[in-house]
């Protein structure tokens, strides 16, 4: 414990993780090849306590591979935070700050503002561009942290906000959030004689962020790592706020086999439940179009949280679900195919 | 608050000062300008809004080069301060009442992470019903958050506290956030004569802030705000208690040092005719001025009365207060907030414990006054001393809790 008594843990990697010469932040897409990645330093150390099969750390590693060691991470309360920093251990080889559940975006606003002040006053060098990255769950983003995020994006702070979207409050034991899809079982949207799981469709947070006019907004999935990392690269290059919503399957909360994680991502994209797209300075672009659009049953049947939807008596609800997905997909296609600003 | 005429005439104590006619809000805004923090993140709320507005003007006119973050709520104001302070910057905010309540969970984070943030507060009643006027329910609601709490009596002291707060917060033996406050409207909106230090003196007094482990130091990455289990949290909180204890000494030291540059010396308590008094009123904030005026009048009439103003509520100067009150015949404690369901209200509870701990059984009366901005009048203070005289001769006081200026019982 340090003298000041605050939970403050030096990173425990061998060598100097902050050595700029060793692990340079990737700045060009050409570096996104497996050989470079395999030899570059891991900034999230192994030994954390996330569940077997959890996809959150995969995304964090992909993001940090691009962001590099000159990065400050702000983490909202949630699975990632509690599982990577159990005092006196820490998995983080970059500076990491956790304050609360609702305030990651406001907290990073302060970090970024202080950085600006110190550069302005000559206490930090301008040429060493520092990255500010937030990791927050869907609960910390769509729900309790929405105001904080909205404010920070509107003010235009330079930071990348990565939503680790596992479609529920997992850290507290699988409760619904506004990212939870229609029909999903959670402990606060249980399946009962009068309900088929969550009775509302999920909020479209990526669109909400795009509507803020943030210079870079995207949806990504870790199974298409190159796409995800290229998005991180773009996000970090803009001079303002950026937002990437990443689907992170949670075997525990979704009631799936542990080894399914990344495979589930692929199905989510192929069923158009999780389309990959980006909004760059207001221009919408689809990044991946499935060769064959699969029915949503292919997605639902892999997860215990949707079991009840496949029962004959719930055929109506299932059809409704497919209808919602189709409508959202058509609307996204229309948006991406429409004449784009500046194009 | 009644200003004494002699104070109005005095020249500035030292040549490094100039005179100004300022409200408490503007005096604090001036201190903020001189501090030129790295980051100010704030949100408007009556009666502290003027501080935010004035500071925004300073930013707009480049009188400071602070990064001013005009956040969307007080929760975010304090959160941004946490981020900025963790980054290694000097961070400050301004608020009142609902704003302070809205910051509540973040206040604890600031203290727990040992971040020397300064909060310029103006007291205002907490809803409901909504009321914009002064009482101390807002700051009393935050009394166990781990923040140091200083209460000013007038614009001059608000200005002085705003500067001293930075030094107290950043002291290596303390490293705790500081809230310093002034009574809403009574002080925030009253023009008074204020002596202002020159910018150079302030800069030298404040010095530079360079924390040991800022999160912006990517070459030496730290994990700040980890999850801590039963095996360590207790020790960390114990260290917070120790830091708060150290603050008792540091507040005095900084007050002395400030006295040397300004001629205005500050301790934890301010004593007015207390030494030889039999009857003493203990009070926070601007009401002390009224109490002093009445006490001076009663002295002329031959009553041995005094006023003990508590400047630092957290840490509470338990021992010094008890020693000061030793041998008194009766003590009245003025509370501008309720602690519903408690044996007595916040300030009274502190005084009562202090006296008990030092083996003193003095007749004590707890007065609740000024709730929701109800005027604290000279007549009320005179009645307090009359009550105390009766309690002193009876050797006891009943009822213990009384209400001043209340219609009905
Ligand atoms: C103000 C507040 N309310 C509730 C909680 C309890 N809580 C901690 S994490 C969490 C859910 C996290 O969900 P999410 O953001 O989706 O992250 P996940 O754990 O699913 O990755 C909740 C409800 C809290 N810490 N703070
Ligand atoms: S509950 Fe889900 S999100 Fe949380 S660690 Fe386990 S698998 Fe990951
Ligand atoms: Mg979640």
């Amino acid at each position: 414990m340090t003298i000041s008594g605050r939970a403050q843990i030096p990173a425990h990697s061998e060598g100097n993780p902050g050595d700029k010469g060793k692990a340079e932040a990737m700045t060009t897409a050409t570096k996104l090849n497996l050989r470079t990645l395999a030899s570059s330093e891991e900034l999230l150390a192994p030994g954390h306590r996330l569940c077997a099969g959890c996809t959150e750390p995969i995304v964090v590693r992909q993001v940090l591979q691009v962001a590099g060691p000159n990065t400050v991470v702000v983490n909202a309360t949630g699975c990632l935070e509690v599982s990577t920093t159990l005092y006196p251990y820490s998995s983080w080889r970059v500076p990491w700050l956790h304050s609360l559940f609702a305030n990651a975006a406001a907290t990073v606003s302060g970090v970024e503002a202080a950085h600006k002040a110190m550069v302005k006053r000559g206490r930090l060098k301008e040429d060493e561009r520092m990255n500010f990255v937030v990791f927050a769950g869907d609960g910390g983003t769509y729900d309790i942290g929405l105001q904080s995020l909205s404010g920070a994006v509107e003010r235009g702070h330079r930071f990348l906000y990565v939503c680790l979207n596992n479609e529920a409050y997992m850290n507290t034991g699988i409760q619904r959030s506004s990212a939870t899809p229609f029909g999903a079982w959670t402990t606060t949207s249980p399946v009962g004689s009068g309900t088929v799981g969550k009775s509302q469709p999920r909020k479209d947070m990526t669109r909400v962020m795009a509507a803020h006019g943030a210079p870079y907004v995207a949806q990504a999935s870790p199974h298409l790592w190159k796409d995800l990392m290229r998005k991180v690269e773009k996000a970090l290059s803009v001079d303002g706020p950026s937002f990437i919503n990443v689907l992170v399957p949670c075997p525990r909360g979704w009631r799936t086999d542990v080894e399914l994680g990344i495979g589930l991502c692929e199905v989510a994209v192929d069923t158009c439940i999780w389309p990959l797209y980006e909004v760059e300075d207001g221009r919408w672009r689809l990044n991946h179009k499935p060769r064959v659009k699969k029915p949503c049953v292919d997605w639902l049947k892999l997860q215990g949280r949707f079991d009840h939807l496949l029962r004959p008596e719930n055929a109506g609800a299932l059809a409704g679900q497919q209808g919602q997905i189709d409508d959202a997909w058509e609307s996204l296609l229309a948006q991406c195919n429409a004449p784009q600003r500046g194009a | 608050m009644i200003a004494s005429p002699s104070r109005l005439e005095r020249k500035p104590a030292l040549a490094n000062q100039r005179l100004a006619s300022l409200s408490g809000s503007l005096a604090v805004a001036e201190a903020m300008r001189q501090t030129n923090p790295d980051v100010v993140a704030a949100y408007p709320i009556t009666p502290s809004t003027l501080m935010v507005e004035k500071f925004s003007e300073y930013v707009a006119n480049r009188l400071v080069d602070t990064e001013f973050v005009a956040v969307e709520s007080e929760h975010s104001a304090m959160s941004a301060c946490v981020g900025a302070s963790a980054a290694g910057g000097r961070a400050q905010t301004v608020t009142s009442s609902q704003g302070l309540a809205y910051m509540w969970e973040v206040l604890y984070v600031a203290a727990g992470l040992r971040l020397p943030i300064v909060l310029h507060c103006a007291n205002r009643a907490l809803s409901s019903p909504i009321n914009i006027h002064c009482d101390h329910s807002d700051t009393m609601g935050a009394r166990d958050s781990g923040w140091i709490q200083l209460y000013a009596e007038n614009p001059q002291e608000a200005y002085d506290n705003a500067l001293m707060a930075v030094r107290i917060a950043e002291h290596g033996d303390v490293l705790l956030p500081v809230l310093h406050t002034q009574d809403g409207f009574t002080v925030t909106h009253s023009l008074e004569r204020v002596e202002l230090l020159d910018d150079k003196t302030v800069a030298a007094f404040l010095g530079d802030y360079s924390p040991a482990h800022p999160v912006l130091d990517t070459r030496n990455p730290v994990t700040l705000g980890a999850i801590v289990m039963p095996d360590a949290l207790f020790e960390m909180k114990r260290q917070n208690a120790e830091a708060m204890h150290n603050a008792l000494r540091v507040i005095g030291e900084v007050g002395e040092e400030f006295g040397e540059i300004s001629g205005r010396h500050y301790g934890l308590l301010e004593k007015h005719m207390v030494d030889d008094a039999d009857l003493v009123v203990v009070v926070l904030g601007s009401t002390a001025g009224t109490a002093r005026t009445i006490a001076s009048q009663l002295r002329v009439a031959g009553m041995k009365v005094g006023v003990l103003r508590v400047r630092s509520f957290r840490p509470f100067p338990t021992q010094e207060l008890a020693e000061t009150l030793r041998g008194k015949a009766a003590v009245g404690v003025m509370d501008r907030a309720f602690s519903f369901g408690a044996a007595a209200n916040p300030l009274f509870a502190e005084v009562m414990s202090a006296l008990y701990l030092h083996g003193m059984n003095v007749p004590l009366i707890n007065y609740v006054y000024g709730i929701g901005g109800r005027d604290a009048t000279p007549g009320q203070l005179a009645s307090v001393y009359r009550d105390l005289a009766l309690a002193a001769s009876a050797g006891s006081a009943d009822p213990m809790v009384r209400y001043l200026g209340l219609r009905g019982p």
Side-chain angles (χ1 to χ4, degrees), chain A residues 317-335:
Chain A
L318 182 61
Q321 170 108 335
Q322 184 66 58
Q324 280 174 20
I325 293 162
D326 294 345
D327 288 350
W329 173 245
E330 289 307 321
S331 138
L332 178 65
L333 285 182
Q335 187 113 34

Side-chain angles (χ1 to χ4, degrees), chain A residues 56 78-79 136-140 163-171 175 177 179 248 250:
Chain A
E56 288 196 352
C79 277
D138 49 293
C163 175
L164 298 172
N165 184 359
N166 51 24
E167 302 192 321
Y169 304 157
M170 296 311 180
N171 185 43
Q175 293 86 27
S177 77
V248 288
C250 159

Side-chain angles (χ1 to χ4, degrees), chain A residues 75-253:
Chain A
N75 204 167
T77 310
C79 277
L80 180 69
E81 167 261 332
V82 300
S83 306
T84 55
T85 66
L86 188 61
Y87 187 84
Y89 304 103
S90 171
S91 296
W92 297 88
R93 289 169 173 159
V94 288
W96 180 95
L97 173 63
H98 163 250
S99 169
L100 289 162
F101 187 20
N103 67 356
T107 307
V108 86
S109 301
V111 175
E112 188 254 10
H115 178 261
K116 245 181 169 169
M118 288 187 216
V119 168
K120 195 160 59 182
R121 294 170 176 193
R123 273 149 61 199
L124 284 171
K125 284 203 214 85
E126 197 163 5
D127 50 338
E128 282 184 24
R129 186 173 160 112
M130 204 175 274
N131 296 314
F132 305 104
V133 177
V134 172
F135 291 111
D138 49 293
T141 305
Y142 285 58
D143 293 343
I144 202 167
L146 179 60
Q147 171 182 317
S148 171
L149 173 58
S150 176
V153 170
E154 183 270 337
R155 292 190 300 272
H157 298 278
R158 181 173 67 79
F159 68 104
L160 163 59
Y161 191 105
V162 178
C163 175
L164 298 172
N165 184 359
N166 51 24
E167 302 192 321
Y169 304 157
M170 296 311 180
N171 185 43
T172 37
I174 323 167
Q175 293 86 27
R176 88 189 276 290
S177 77
S178 58
T180 305
F182 170 83
W185 163 90
T186 70
T187 58
T188 52
S189 59
V191 180
S193 56
T195 56
V196 284
K198 194 189 172 203
S199 50
Q200 304 85 2
R202 64 189 175 183
K203 184 189 286 178
D204 191 341
M205 186 65 193
T206 312
R207 269 183 195 273
V208 171
M209 282 294 104
H212 276 68
Y216 189 80
V217 172
Q219 272 191 185
S221 164
H223 79 289
L224 290 176
W225 56 270
K226 218 167 191 167
D227 177 71
L228 189 151
M229 292 172 76
R230 192 185 48 77
K231 284 172 174 166
V232 172
E233 201 168 45
K234 280 191 181 182
L236 292 175
S237 72
V238 303
D239 195 22
S242 50
F243 176 84
I244 306 181
N245 200 347
V246 187
L247 189 72
V248 288
C250 159
R252 170 138 177 74

Side-chain angles (χ1 to χ4, degrees), chain B residues 162-221:
Chain B
L163 297 175
M164 287 188 286
V166 175
R167 287 285 308 278
I168 295 163
E170 292 172 4
H171 193 287
D173 295 341
V174 177
L175 281 178
L176 288 175
V178 177
L179 173 157
H180 79 95
T181 192
Q182 50 180 310
D183 287 345
F185 293 108
T186 323
V187 182
T188 54
H189 288 61
S190 301
L191 284 181
E192 274 200 34
R193 169 194 186 285
V194 180
E195 297 175 5
L196 301 171
L197 290 162
D198 63 31
D199 291 3
K200 235 173 73 189
T201 307
V202 171
F205 174 72
L206 294 181
D208 293 328
Y209 172 55
S210 52
H213 306 289
V215 293
L216 287 185
D217 184 0
T218 52
R219 285 165 208 275
N220 301 291

Side-chain angles (χ1 to χ4, degrees), chain A residues 18-98:
Chain A
D19 190 339
K20 307 288 182 297
K22 252 208 232 162
E24 200 129 80
M26 258 163 295
T27 47
T28 62
T30 53
K31 288 188 186 165
L32 292 181
N33 65 61
L34 281 176
R35 190 185 304 169
T36 322
L37 294 178
S39 60
S40 75
E41 191 187 10
E42 288 285 358
L43 295 170
L44 183 77
H48 55 71
R49 290 152 169 87
L50 289 149
C51 301
C54 181
T55 50
E56 288 196 352
I58 300 173
V59 174
V60 171
R61 285 166 57 213
Q62 290 179 5
V63 172
L64 291 182
Q65 287 266 13
V66 180
N70 203 22
T71 298
V72 178
V73 168
V74 174
N75 204 167
T77 310
C79 277
L80 180 69
E81 167 261 332
V82 300
S83 306
T84 55
T85 66
L86 188 61
Y87 187 84
Y89 304 103
S90 171
S91 296
W92 297 88
R93 289 169 173 159
V94 288
W96 180 95
L97 173 63
H98 163 250

